[in-house]
Amino acid sequence: MTQRINYVQQSPELFKKYLEFTTLLKDSAIEETIRDLVSIRASQINGCAFCLDMHVKEARIHGERELRIHHLPTWRESTLFSPRERAALAWVEVLTKLPEHGVDDDLYERVRGQFSEKELSDLTYDVMAINGWNRANIAFRTVPGSLDKAYGLDKANLA
């Protein structure tokens, strides 16, 4: 794969602001484990190799178990995820693949049963953020692993 353009260099101020937005999410009401699962699952759905590579490495650095990462595509059948994690995974899937008629009330109520209003709002911003990054990195074919050293992802020892 060859990168098309470097969108960071072409639009540095926009990149900086979007990165600031994403960085703010680290202080949100959503725990790191769920943020990692959300980023990985959205990147899987969208087919973003760069983001999938990055977020798997981040999750491993944060202590996520390898088997849970492998089970993410089949989270509905897996016994490795808590009800709260399942709700977050359902939310990321519905917001990443928006249905024609919006978010079903039953799904909303199931997810709302696991998250406070503040948490659900913060989770939605997490989903928005990763979907934006996926779109930029897919559009410009950012090479997976190309920024590992810069982002400290080489510490995951997954190369």
Side-chain angles (χ1 to χ4, degrees):
M1 176 195 305
T2 303
Q3 186 164 335
R4 290 178 169 156
I5 67 170
N6 185 326
Y7 67 92
V8 175
Q9 290 175 348
Q10 296 304 314
S11 304
E13 287 303 312
L14 293 173
F15 172 80
K16 180 181 176 190
K17 292 297 182 187
Y18 202 68
L19 187 59
E20 287 174 14
F21 164 68
T22 303
T23 302
L24 285 174
L25 295 169
K26 292 180 181 178
D27 294 325
S28 76
I30 302 302
E31 55 269 36
E32 183 176 70
T33 300
I34 288 182
R35 288 194 322 269
D36 287 339
L37 296 175
V38 162
S39 293
I40 293 168
R41 188 66 189 124
S43 299
Q44 289 172 333
I45 293 166
N46 289 323
C48 183
F50 177 82
C51 292
L52 181 59
D53 179 81
M54 169 188 277
H55 294 295
V56 164
K57 290 172 182 171
E58 281 181 339
R60 292 292 291 141
I61 289 169
H62 297 153
E64 184 57 73
R65 294 186 343 232
E66 191 171 341
L67 186 59
R68 282 170 38 99
I69 294 170
H70 288 299
H71 276 228
L72 270 173
T74 59
W75 64 268
R76 285 177 183 81
E77 293 81 25
S78 176
T79 59
L80 300 179
F81 301 100
S82 71
R84 184 173 168 87
E85 290 168 335
R86 289 175 179 284
L89 291 167
W91 196 245
V92 71
E93 286 188 4
V94 74
L95 294 184
T96 298
K97 304 182 287 190
L98 281 171
E100 183 178 339
H101 300 291
V103 177
D104 176 275
D105 287 339
D106 290 337
L107 174 62
Y108 173 80
E109 290 303 326
R110 281 197 323 263
V111 174
R112 181 66 179 87
Q114 294 295 322
F115 294 93
S116 71
E117 288 182 2
K118 166 75 167 131
E119 290 170 332
L120 186 53
S121 179
D122 286 0
L123 178 61
T124 301
Y125 277 103
D126 276 323
V127 174
M128 290 165 49
I130 188 56
N131 275 288
W133 288 118
N134 286 169
R135 279 146 180 78
N137 287 300
I138 290 169
F140 301 120
R141 293 185 180 160
T142 309
V143 177
S146 60
L147 297 173
D148 281 5
K149 195 163 252 182
Y151 293 154
L153 299 174
D154 49 340
K155 295 175 187 147
N157 296 318
L158 292 177

